[in-house]
């Protein structure tokens, strides 16, 4: 049972435009959400997180939006840069429990 | 610099052999985790430990074993009972509890000869 889903395996964007990566979850106990970026043969790097008491969190070019009623979150990258090309994973946990459940990942390609 | 060190980067195992993957952290984190990544898939949790001398099974613990004798170290043994061990293994740590991001090492790629 896939509790965290990223339904788009890949996304292609032009440099300077907005990248929007989406993630859906089914477990209503999840209340902490994270986005990670991963290059091949490396470990994931933490990007940004959001708790369920918020609906938006910003950090520089990265913004995460959370829609609890729809059980949906998204990561916006503005403006997109070629160096952003990587696999992006969303992950979720229930506060008080450290274990994360990951989505399958979305490959983002930013073209110059 | 603080971080998580996984060794070796690449590891080869013969059929029927056990092999141990190393994970060391100097971040003073209480919690440590082991994940497995297969091509085109997300990370799946194998084992995790929230405190020294204690650990819990994750979603895919069969064929694996761990120990947590020191706060800094969380080795993973892939036993011969693991039928499909070829994968990319990632170790992570966090301050523990909920609401904390996990920080990852650079992984070990295990292949069967």
């Amino acid at each position: 049972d896939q509790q965290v889903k990223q339904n788009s395996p890949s996304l292609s964007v032009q440099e300077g435009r907005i990248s929007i990566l989406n993630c859906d979850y089914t477990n209503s106990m999840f209340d902490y959400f994270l986005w990670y970026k991963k290059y091949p043969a490396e470990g994931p790097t933490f990007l940004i997180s959001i708790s369920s008491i918020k609906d938006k969190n910003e950090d520089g070019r990265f913004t995460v939006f959370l829609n609890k009623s729809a059980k949906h979150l998204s990561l916006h990258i503005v403006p997109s840069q070629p160096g952003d090309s990587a696999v992006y994973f969303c992950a979720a946990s229930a506060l008080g429990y450290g274990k994360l459940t990951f989505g399958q990942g979305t490959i983002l390609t930013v073209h110059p | 610099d603080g971080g998580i060190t996984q060794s070796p980067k690449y590891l080869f195992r013969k059929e029927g052999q056990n092999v141990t993957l190393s994970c060391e952290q100097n971040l003073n984190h209480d919690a440590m985790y082991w994940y497995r990544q297969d091509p085109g898939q997300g990370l799946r949790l194998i084992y995790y430990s929230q405190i020294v001398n204690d650990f819990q099974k994750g979603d895919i613990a069969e064929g694996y074993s761990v120990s947590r004798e020191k706060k800094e170290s969380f080795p993973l043994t892939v036993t011969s009972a693991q039928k499909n061990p070829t994968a990319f293994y990632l170790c992570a740590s966090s301050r523990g509890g909920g609401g904390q991001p996990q920080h990852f090492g650079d992984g070990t790629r295990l292949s069967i000869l």
Side-chain angles (χ1 to χ4, degrees):
Chain A
D1 178 28
Q2 193 79 28
Q3 297 186 64
V4 178
K5 293 183 183 180
Q6 294 175 256
N7 291 317
S8 298
S10 62
L11 175 67
S12 183
V13 172
Q14 206 68 30
E15 181 179 7
R17 306 295 291 268
I18 184 171
S19 295
I20 300 176
L21 298 107
N22 294 303
C23 181
D24 297 296
Y25 62 96
T26 57
N27 189 338
S28 58
M29 297 298 291
F30 289 150
D31 50 13
Y32 179 64
F33 305 89
L34 309 88
W35 284 95
Y36 285 85
K37 174 181 179 180
K38 185 181 181 301
Y39 295 115
E42 293 185 10
T45 301
F46 169 69
L47 279 175
I48 192 169
S49 64
I50 188 168
S51 73
S52 60
I53 62 173
K54 294 185 174 181
D55 54 19
K56 177 182 174 182
N57 189 26
E58 284 183 83
D59 185 0
R61 295 186 298 115
F62 302 92
T63 303
V64 56
F65 294 92
L66 176 62
N67 183 334
K68 291 184 287 295
S69 60
K71 293 190 175 66
H72 177 84
L73 65 153
S74 61
L75 175 68
H76 292 210
I77 306 174
V78 182
S80 301
Q81 300 172 354
D84 295 330
S85 298
V87 180
Y88 288 78
F89 290 98
C90 67
S93 74
L95 279 173
Y97 295 92
K99 53 183 282 190
L100 296 177
T101 300
F102 283 83
Q104 310 95 305
T106 296
I107 301 170
L108 173 65
T109 304
V110 180
H111 299 282
Chain B
D1 284 343
I4 300 173
T5 302
Q6 289 188 243
S7 60
K9 184 78 172 172
Y10 299 95
L11 190 57
F12 299 92
R13 192 191 91 172
K14 292 182 179 179
E15 295 274 358
Q17 278 185 340
N18 293 352
V19 63
T20 297
L21 284 61
S22 169
C23 178
E24 303 278 333
Q25 55 99 359
N26 60 4
L27 298 167
N28 199 33
H29 284 169
D30 288 313
M32 297 187 74
Y33 310 83
W34 274 105
Y35 294 89
R36 167 182 172 141
Q37 186 188 18
D38 293 286
Q41 296 193 34
L43 282 65
R44 291 183 292 166
L45 183 65
I46 304 172
Y47 267 98
Y48 63 106
S49 167
Q50 294 179 312
I51 197 168
V52 174
N53 292 322
D54 187 44
F55 49 83
Q56 289 78 40
K57 292 182 179 180
D59 301 319
I60 55 166
E62 184 176 352
Y64 300 97
S65 66
V66 293
S67 62
R68 187 84 186 280
E69 297 176 0
K70 298 188 299 182
K71 187 175 184 177
E72 304 79 22
S73 178
F74 191 40
L76 174 74
T77 297
V78 184
T79 74
S80 57
Q82 170 50 238
K83 298 305 178 189
N84 187 21
T86 297
F88 190 51
Y89 290 88
L90 287 157
C91 178
S93 70
S94 73
R95 288 206 178 106
Q100 299 287 341
Q102 293 179 16
H103 300 275
F104 285 81
D106 278 339
T108 293
R109 181 163 298 281
L110 174 63
S111 301
I112 300 303
L113 295 176

